[in-house]
Amino acid sequence: MLGLVALLALTGCSGSEPVTGAPAGPTDAPSTPVASRQTPAEAERTMASLRRVDDLPLYEMTYVGDYDAQAGLDRPTPSPVGCSLFAALGDRDRPLFARNFDWDPNPAMVLRTDPPDGYASVSLVDISYLGLGADPTGDRRLLDAPLLPFDGMNERGLAVGLAADDNARAEPVPGLPRVGSVRILRLVLDEAATVAEAVRVFQRYNLDFEGGPPLHYLLADETGASAVVEFVDGRMRVQPGGGSWQALTNVPVVDVPEQRRRDDRRYRVLAEALTAAHGRLDAPAALELLDDVRQGHTRWSVTYGLRSGEVRVVTATGGRREYRLPPA
């Protein structure tokens, strides 16, 4: 492993209405992992690394060895709704990426991966989508956790996250393989070092929104570049960031005037604060801004330092964790 070092400093997405009930799909999850390309010893080391660190409950796990990020690629992935995200220039020109994940009260996990043919990354996973409950200890379905990052950052400082967009519609392009709307994040984290490369990863696949709400995506990299990927009238469209920040909630942004975007309360709160700060927020200030737009069903808030490699996670139960993803 490239040494994704936890700084064990324990100080602890949907629209405007909470969602209830279990998310569709976990009961259909395979009982045995489909992605693992590990030796038996690597699988055992991965399972042994699991530990509970928060009462959310939040777990940590380090995946040892290889996995097939395209295993079962055409199987649809149920998707969460909502969330609030932004990318900003950051304090002292150190870009950051921040997001609230708003969804059902499910267990989550901070996952560290370092595939032999891809970039090392740290990501957050809602493990209920693997069919797992509050205590996943010993369940080998954890070995498929790399397939379901809901947000994350890789060693090159590329970050990605998702949010619901009820207006999105993706029509298939003949000849392209189909990929689940959450799985695409794993492919981006493994393969892309820049926003431009991440966009090209999206362009290689047909996204499947079956089993969950349609989504749009925010990308950002260590240069300060960012972009929103949306699906408008069936076609993929990209809205590059044009200033010191770019935000995303549950309203379309491609070809939508800024004032109309601000009709959404959470987007407006983010936009006004980021504009006033000229996008120059450090991680603590970014977490405070996320707190301003948190909802009753916000499960976690996270910031990714795209140059520093620092990751800060705050959960709904008040737990705080810090990690560092060293540069390559």
Side-chain angles (χ1 to χ4, degrees):
M1 300 292 287
L2 278 180
L4 301 172
V5 181
L7 307 178
L8 300 177
L10 179 58
T11 60
C13 302
S14 71
S16 59
E17 296 299 325
V19 290
T20 58
T27 55
D28 299 324
S31 58
T32 56
V34 299
S36 174
R37 295 295 180 268
Q38 301 163 296
T39 66
E42 289 172 334
E44 291 307 313
R45 287 173 60 194
T46 297
M47 297 295 293
S49 73
L50 181 73
R51 63 193 188 104
R52 179 168 170 161
V53 296
D54 183 271
D55 290 336
L56 187 69
L58 178 72
Y59 293 87
E60 294 175 0
M61 190 175 81
T62 298
Y63 191 98
V64 182
D66 197 9
Y67 53 83
D68 181 0
Q70 300 193 42
L73 195 65
D74 61 351
R75 189 173 67 239
T77 305
S79 307
V81 293
C83 310
S84 303
L85 308 88
F86 65 87
L89 183 61
D91 179 49
R92 289 180 288 178
D93 294 332
R94 292 184 296 186
L96 59 79
F97 185 97
R99 76 99 104 248
N100 282 344
F101 180 71
D102 305 338
W103 190 228
D104 285 332
N106 302 322
M109 183 167 66
V110 177
L111 179 69
R112 297 182 285 272
T113 58
D114 187 8
D117 56 352
Y119 297 123
S121 67
V122 59
S123 59
L124 278 152
V125 179
D126 179 331
I127 63 174
S128 72
Y129 285 84
L130 296 168
L132 300 172
D135 185 2
T137 305
D139 196 316
R140 293 181 67 84
R141 285 176 292 184
L142 284 168
L143 300 180
D144 279 337
L147 303 183
L148 291 173
F150 287 82
D151 52 69
M153 175 182 68
N154 67 23
E155 63 181 303
R156 297 297 299 274
L158 185 283
V160 59
L162 53 78
D165 174 12
D166 290 340
N167 297 282
R169 181 170 57 86
E171 293 183 355
V173 176
L176 296 183
R178 184 175 68 169
V179 62
S181 55
V182 177
R183 176 79 65 88
I184 188 67
L185 272 66
R186 170 50 57 198
L187 300 174
V188 166
L189 290 171
D190 284 1
E191 301 175 21
T194 66
V195 166
E197 291 180 4
V199 168
R200 289 196 288 272
V201 173
F202 272 91
Q203 291 171 333
R204 294 204 301 265
Y205 297 93
N206 288 316
L207 261 65
D208 188 349
F209 294 139
E210 181 181 345
L215 303 173
H216 53 183
Y217 305 83
L218 181 63
L219 305 163
D221 65 33
E222 68 169 1
T223 70
S226 67
V228 167
V229 174
E230 287 185 343
F231 294 83
V232 182
D233 297 328
R235 295 191 305 116
M236 177 179 153
R237 299 282 302 279
V238 178
Q239 179 75 52
S244 60
W245 61 270
Q246 190 168 25
L248 190 67
T249 56
N250 306 118
V251 295
V253 301
V254 173
D255 295 336
V256 176
E258 177 69 14
Q259 203 54 48
R260 278 185 52 196
R261 300 176 198 170
R262 296 193 186 199
D263 289 342
D264 177 77
R265 185 195 68 83
R266 282 179 290 123
Y267 185 95
R268 182 174 65 254
V269 170
L270 293 176
E272 290 176 351
L274 289 164
T275 299
H278 304 288
R280 297 183 181 279
L281 280 67
D282 59 12
L287 286 169
E288 288 182 10
L289 181 52
L290 289 175
D291 193 54
D292 290 340
V293 293
R294 70 174 287 111
Q295 303 186 85
H297 52 295
T298 297
R299 300 303 293 157
W300 68 73
S301 301
V302 59
T303 62
Y304 296 100
L306 304 184
R307 288 183 185 167
S308 68
E310 295 175 350
V311 182
R312 302 188 183 202
V313 182
V314 179
T315 67
T317 56
R320 294 176 178 265
R321 306 292 297 180
E322 296 186 6
Y323 307 87
R324 183 180 294 275
L325 179 59

